[in-house]
Amino acid sequence: MKTRLLLLALSLCFVGLNNASAATHYSTEQYQQMFQTNNIAQQKKAIQSLYLSGINNPAIFDIISSKITSRLQQTGDKYQIDDTAWLIKALGYSGNEKYRQQLTDITEGDAPRKIRRYAEAALTDLNQFAIWNPILNDKAHYDAQLSQADNILANALRSDILELKRQAAKRIYNDGVYQPQLLALLNQQLLKPTLLGNNKLAIDTYAWMAKALGSASKPEYKATLQQITQGDAPKKLRKYVSKYLKQYY
């Protein structure tokens, strides 16, 4: 039991709105197979990978939806409740309106409090990913030399949504995704920070982009970070970037 509790605590550290790692990608068929089994650990890994993937295929999420319905009809212990909560989280990542009623019914029903709380969060995610997924899947600027996953990150960086840009930068940093095209895009965004303002989200977003770029330790991008520290960017951002210059150069 102690081992199960430890694994549960560790797994929960890697999921949520702030999750920008776990960038494993699977095919539609692989997702279907994973969610049709009872391998909970495998399903949690799959759910992590759905975040910032742009995937909204009902062929995947209908299986998840059905599994949730089946589980809610059972009386489960705290582990089964946790497993169901993860599946509910996945529905939010679909951004698909067809699952709104199911999630709403869960929040208004008599399911355990944890499940209702996850359903509320999934409804928020549903709204967010309804906007994000089309941006991530937009093929107008896809680069044939990049993987699907890297093209998705590029789309996120090019977007006009601060949180989406921040999550992409986190993933680039956490997973060490130092594709030249992505680094060049980060550099471009930092040289022309059109969404930068003196607010927490904007500062944190551009700090993460600077950290992602700096962590690659490419000499050609040192000047960009120096320019930020010497310019009129918010003081907190300049402080962050000064730290990255010392750390990576």
Side-chain angles (χ1 to χ4, degrees):
M1 182 173 291
K2 289 183 178 179
T3 301
R4 176 74 188 259
L5 288 173
L6 176 59
L7 290 173
L8 174 59
L10 288 173
S11 65
L12 287 175
C13 291
F14 294 97
V15 72
L17 287 180
N18 291 325
N19 177 24
S21 191
T24 304
H25 293 268
Y26 305 100
S27 67
T28 297
E29 292 73 21
Q30 287 174 317
Y31 275 117
Q32 289 175 309
Q33 291 171 5
M34 293 167 82
F35 286 116
Q36 283 170 341
T37 70
N38 292 316
N39 188 327
I40 302 303
Q42 189 179 62
Q43 287 176 13
K44 288 180 179 179
K45 185 177 180 181
I47 291 166
Q48 289 174 359
S49 75
L50 286 170
Y51 186 86
L52 211 68
S53 69
I55 293 174
N56 57 5
N57 191 337
I60 297 169
F61 289 101
D62 281 353
I63 297 173
I64 297 172
S65 173
S66 177
K67 190 175 284 285
I68 291 170
T69 299
S70 176
R71 284 179 170 276
L72 289 176
Q73 294 171 349
Q74 306 169 12
T75 301
D77 59 20
K78 62 182 180 180
Y79 300 117
Q80 291 173 310
I81 290 172
D82 178 71
D83 298 340
T84 303
W86 275 72
L87 292 169
I88 290 171
K89 177 185 286 291
L91 271 194
Y93 296 160
S94 73
N96 194 325
E97 191 66 21
K98 71 179 292 186
Y99 306 116
R100 182 176 299 279
Q101 190 60 54
Q102 180 180 15
L103 292 171
T104 300
D105 289 344
I106 294 172
T107 66
E108 298 174 350
D110 58 359
R113 183 169 178 267
K114 180 173 183 177
I115 287 178
R116 287 184 278 116
R117 191 172 69 246
Y118 267 70
E120 290 173 0
L123 281 168
T124 299
D125 286 345
L126 198 72
N127 295 331
Q128 177 172 267
F129 281 88
I131 298 170
W132 284 15
N133 285 340
I135 294 172
L136 298 175
N137 288 315
D138 185 1
K139 297 193 169 45
H141 299 287
Y142 264 30
D143 186 334
Q145 295 182 333
L146 292 178
S147 67
Q148 170 78 1
D150 290 344
N151 272 304
I152 283 174
L153 291 177
N155 278 349
L157 290 175
R158 279 189 292 260
S159 76
D160 291 328
I161 301 176
L162 282 168
E163 182 60 30
L164 193 51
K165 296 163 91 71
R166 178 168 69 166
Q167 292 300 324
K170 284 185 177 184
R171 177 156 290 177
I172 290 170
Y173 171 77
N174 288 327
D175 292 353
V177 186
Y178 298 132
Q179 291 287 356
Q181 296 94 323
L182 292 178
L183 295 179
L185 189 52
L186 281 169
N187 185 63
Q188 175 187 335
Q189 293 283 317
L190 290 166
L191 287 174
K192 295 182 178 180
T194 55
L195 299 181
L196 180 58
N198 197 17
N199 62 80
K200 183 176 180 180
L201 177 57
I203 291 171
D204 197 50
T205 296
Y206 281 93
W208 271 105
M209 288 197 289
K211 187 172 187 178
L213 183 64
S215 65
S217 297
K218 298 292 185 181
E220 60 266 36
Y221 297 126
K222 183 178 181 180
T224 297
L225 301 187
Q226 290 174 326
Q227 179 175 317
I228 295 172
T229 64
Q230 297 165 6
D232 58 358
K235 182 178 179 180
K236 191 169 185 179
L237 177 59
R238 286 185 275 120
K239 183 177 180 180
Y240 278 130
V241 178
S242 294
K243 176 183 175 182
Y244 305 149
L245 278 167
K246 293 177 182 178
Q247 185 175 357
Y248 300 117
Y249 291 95

